[in-house]
Amino acid sequence: MTLLISELSKTFGQKQAVNHLSFELAKGQTVALLGPNGAGKTTTLRMISGLIKPTSGNIRFDNIKNDEDLRQHIGYLPQYPQFHGWMTGREFLIYVGELSYLSKKEACTRADELLVKTGISEAKNKRISAYSGGMRQRLGIAQAMIHSPKFLLLDEPVSSLDPVGRRDILNLLEELKEETTILFSTHILSDAEEVCDSLIVMNEGRIVEQGTLDSLRDTYQRQVIDLHFKPSAIDIKKALATIEGVTSIHEQKGHLLLEVTHVDVVKADILRRTLSEEWPLDYFSVNKTSLEEMFMEVIERDAI
Amino acid sequence: MQFKTVLKKELLMHMRNYSLIWIPIVFIVLSIMDPITTYYLPIILEQVGGMPEGAVFTIPEIPPVDAFMLSLSELSMFGVLIVILLTLSTISGERKTGVLELILVKPVKTGNYLGAKWLAKIIIFTSALGLGLLLSWYYVTILFGEISFLYTLLAICFYAFWFVFVISVTMVFASLVRTQILGFGLTVLTLTSLSIINGLFHHKMPWFYNNLSSLIGQMLTQEQISSDLIINLVLLFGTSLLLLAVSVYLFDKKEKL
């Protein structure tokens, strides 16, 4: 089962929030919708969840009739989930379970199962108004999963949490990956990197880059040689620039960062000259540029 | 099934926030206040110093039916305001806090959702109304004289149709506008306009919506049900169902934010 999004657009008054967006979400994938604030991530998720209607374009599943209610197959967690504070966590789960056509008995079983899975079973009979932010987020995930949806849409599931809560939710997502297809939005790349296998990068309502984490790394990641020298009379920077294969040299906190085309050749060259010309080298390492830099690069390129 | 789920949840909410207790109490107080204070008016006047010497003030004899109708008019003022406010808060309130988001991403049919809320409000308010008016009847029979119990029961049932109508009008505006205060204003404006129309034309259209209470008054005095009353009830209930359908339509049409 695949979720097919084609030419999806949404305008609010003058503002084009989402602009001809097309992508596919195949069963079993975990995809992050990455982008700065205001990129149209939330609007996209809300359109898929059926909360708002697209201005144009369509959302469908490949093997489901058009007249069927897609909401049966989708679980959605808004960025700031709100509950009936006077209900207990368990009551709320059973309530939304029954709304999703589970029988009372099924809803109870499923609710208890999810309360354990999300780690809030101790508080299940407490009023939701007494829940902390992290507990609300867990309850939010539990309510999204109550009817075992095929697709789980999460809007910034960890952005509002403290580091401990963040860690817990990321671990939970790792577990949920086994059960369902996940599409979640975030503006923090490291969260995306940790949980998902592919990325869709959005900016100003459009997709600016997409692919699996590995393919993005291949495309954007460059190797960098990081060097540090003791102060000396030799103009090493100038000497390094003459080495073949060095494309650029940046200076950062006393370190020289070399972007190179062929690491092995350049590496050998530098080490040979260090020995023969007695360069005062005291630090040498070969690193990779992070995906964070890729993210910045893609967004900046798009802005031009 | 879905309908029952929402209905159960609504009633549970009324239990948890104690409105299942305070609404009947308020309605009882509203209902019995006027007959009792009217009866004891001479004594109250005596206690606060009496009439000036030489003043002649005869308090007219009040027939039991008129005393009972005082309760109805009290409920049609303050009772109706409470009905409007609480009905609005269950829809606009859920929209405003954002709970509605979590409900609407589930495969919920709008008709079930709004219909259940409609019925829940009807159950709560008509039972409070029934309690209040029964107690009013009790005091009126003690203090002013007999009224037929059978016709009192009928009067209560018929008057409930007015509340059903008010709830339905409120539902339309709750679906139409986002803010509670605007919904409240529009509902009150609509009911007031209807009442003005009734004031001007009730001799030509005795079956008009707002004429219900005077038709009920007639029924209690004459102890028979007029055809105007029947037409009025059919009109009220039919319009209520229509308004419920309209509110479902408006709610669906509006973006579900």
Side-chain angles (χ1 to χ4, degrees), chain A residues 31-44:
Chain A
V31 178
L33 208 51
L34 188 69
N37 291 328
K41 306 184 297 282
T42 299
T43 310
T44 306

Side-chain angles (χ1 to χ4, degrees), chain A:
Chain A
M1 186 174 201
T2 307
L3 177 67
L4 306 164
I5 312 282
S6 60
E7 292 293 309
L8 199 63
S9 294
K10 180 74 192 177
T11 24
F12 294 113
Q14 291 291 313
K15 193 181 179 326
Q16 178 110 28
V18 173
N19 193 351
H20 298 282
L21 204 70
S22 301
F23 64 89
E24 287 181 9
L25 191 60
K27 187 168 183 261
Q29 276 188 305
T30 303
V31 178
L33 208 51
L34 188 69
N37 291 328
K41 306 184 297 282
T42 299
T43 310
T44 306
L45 290 179
R46 300 186 90 161
M47 280 192 281
I48 301 174
S49 68
L51 277 177
I52 54 177
K53 294 186 189 88
T55 310
S56 64
N58 66 66
I59 299 157
R60 56 190 191 84
F61 293 124
D62 59 350
N63 54 358
I64 282 183
K65 284 176 240 92
N66 275 331
D67 53 343
E68 203 180 322
D69 196 337
L70 299 187
R71 293 180 296 176
Q72 185 69 47
H73 305 287
I74 287 174
Y76 174 68
L77 171 70
Q79 186 168 4
Y80 306 106
Q82 296 293 331
F83 307 91
H84 291 297
W86 53 268
M87 278 183 154
T88 68
R90 184 165 185 271
E91 278 170 347
F92 190 81
L93 289 181
I94 294 170
Y95 172 51
V96 291
E98 287 189 280
L99 288 181
S100 314
Y101 300 106
L102 297 182
S103 72
K104 173 96 188 172
K105 205 170 148 228
E106 285 167 340
C108 289
T109 324
R110 183 76 179 142
D112 288 331
E113 198 181 302
L114 284 166
L115 283 163
V116 172
K117 181 166 263 179
T118 51
I120 45 173
S121 59
E122 275 157 47
K124 68 179 178 186
N125 292 324
K126 281 200 190 117
R127 300 258 169 118
I128 303 173
S129 51
Y131 279 27
S132 69
M135 285 158 83
R136 278 162 178 269
Q137 207 69 8
R138 288 149 190 263
L139 184 63
I141 291 178
Q143 67 78 31
M145 291 292 295
I146 190 83
H147 52 310
S148 315
K150 301 201 169 64
F151 293 89
L152 185 60
L153 310 176
L154 308 170
D155 195 1
E156 305 272 0
V158 293
S159 304
S160 61
L161 299 177
D162 60 31
V164 179
R166 205 185 128 262
R167 183 75 269 138
D168 288 345
I169 298 291
L170 288 176
N171 290 344
L172 182 61
L173 290 185
E174 202 68 46
E175 272 178 57
L176 293 176
K177 276 169 76 170
E178 313 296 317
E179 275 180 56
T180 181
T181 308
I182 302 178
L183 177 65
F184 77 98
S185 76
T186 178
H187 55 258
I188 299 161
L189 185 95
S190 63
D191 293 342
E193 242 180 314
E194 201 160 325
V195 186
C196 66
D197 12 82
S198 48
L199 279 179
I200 295 174
V201 186
M202 280 183 79
N203 193 32
E204 298 186 349
R206 282 167 299 120
I207 292 178
V208 287
E209 186 60 85
Q210 62 180 319
T212 62
L213 272 180
D214 291 337
S215 72
L216 288 174
R217 280 200 189 98
D218 283 349
T219 319
Y220 288 97
Q221 245 173 11
R222 285 175 309 272
Q223 290 191 305
V224 173
I225 297 178
D226 182 349
L227 301 169
H228 187 259
F229 297 96
K230 285 197 196 91
S232 77
I234 316 167
D235 190 351
I236 295 164
K237 204 171 164 185
K238 204 172 167 189
L240 286 170
T242 61
I243 293 177
E244 203 169 323
V246 175
T247 50
S248 73
I249 302 176
H250 299 284
E251 209 169 332
Q252 198 178 61
K253 293 177 192 161
H255 284 246
L256 295 173
L257 303 175
L258 276 59
E259 284 191 19
V260 298
T261 45
H262 298 97
V263 184
D264 296 333
V265 181
V266 178
K267 189 169 71 184
D269 233 10
I270 292 174
L271 292 177
R272 198 175 320 118
R273 292 182 65 171
T274 302
L275 291 175
S276 60
E277 297 173 26
E278 295 185 352
W279 289 352
L281 180 67
D282 67 354
Y283 181 87
F284 179 98
S285 81
V286 178
N287 300 329
K288 285 177 175 169
T289 54
S290 67
L291 270 183
E292 198 77 46
E293 280 156 21
M294 174 284 288
F295 178 54
M296 296 307 292
E297 192 182 318
V298 169
I299 301 295
E300 269 163 31
R301 190 181 64 198
D302 183 62
I304 295 164

Side-chain angles (χ1 to χ4, degrees), chain B residues 68 133-134 137 147-157 220:
Chain B
F68 182 73
L133 288 180
L134 277 178
W137 171 81
I147 311 181
S148 146
F149 183 61
L150 173 70
Y151 278 95
T152 305
L153 281 184
L154 282 177
I156 294 172
C157 292
L220 284 171

Side-chain angles (χ1 to χ4, degrees), chain A residues 10 12 46 49-53 69 71-72 74-84 86-88 91-92 94-104 127 140 143-147, chain B residues 1-18 90 94 96-110 112-113 117 251-257:
Chain A
K10 180 74 192 177
F12 294 113
R46 300 186 90 161
S49 68
L51 277 177
I52 54 177
K53 294 186 189 88
D69 196 337
R71 293 180 296 176
Q72 185 69 47
I74 287 174
Y76 174 68
L77 171 70
Q79 186 168 4
Y80 306 106
Q82 296 293 331
F83 307 91
H84 291 297
W86 53 268
M87 278 183 154
T88 68
E91 278 170 347
F92 190 81
I94 294 170
Y95 172 51
V96 291
E98 287 189 280
L99 288 181
S100 314
Y101 300 106
L102 297 182
S103 72
K104 173 96 188 172
R127 300 258 169 118
Q143 67 78 31
M145 291 292 295
I146 190 83
H147 52 310
Chain B
M1 176 66 202
Q2 226 172 36
F3 186 87
K4 214 178 90 194
T5 307
V6 181
L7 182 63
K8 253 171 32 196
K9 173 241 147 198
E10 283 292 306
L11 295 178
L12 184 67
M13 177 192 78
H14 282 294
M15 216 158 75
R16 291 268 168 89
N17 66 16
Y18 304 112
T90 60
E94 279 190 12
K96 200 176 160 210
T97 55
V99 187
L100 200 54
E101 251 187 4
L102 290 188
I103 306 304
L104 291 179
V105 291
K106 300 286 180 250
V108 179
K109 294 206 172 63
T110 313
N112 286 337
Y113 176 74
K117 284 187 173 267
F251 193 87
D252 267 341
K253 197 164 163 268
K254 202 178 172 67
E255 269 191 337
K256 295 167 181 171
L257 267 169

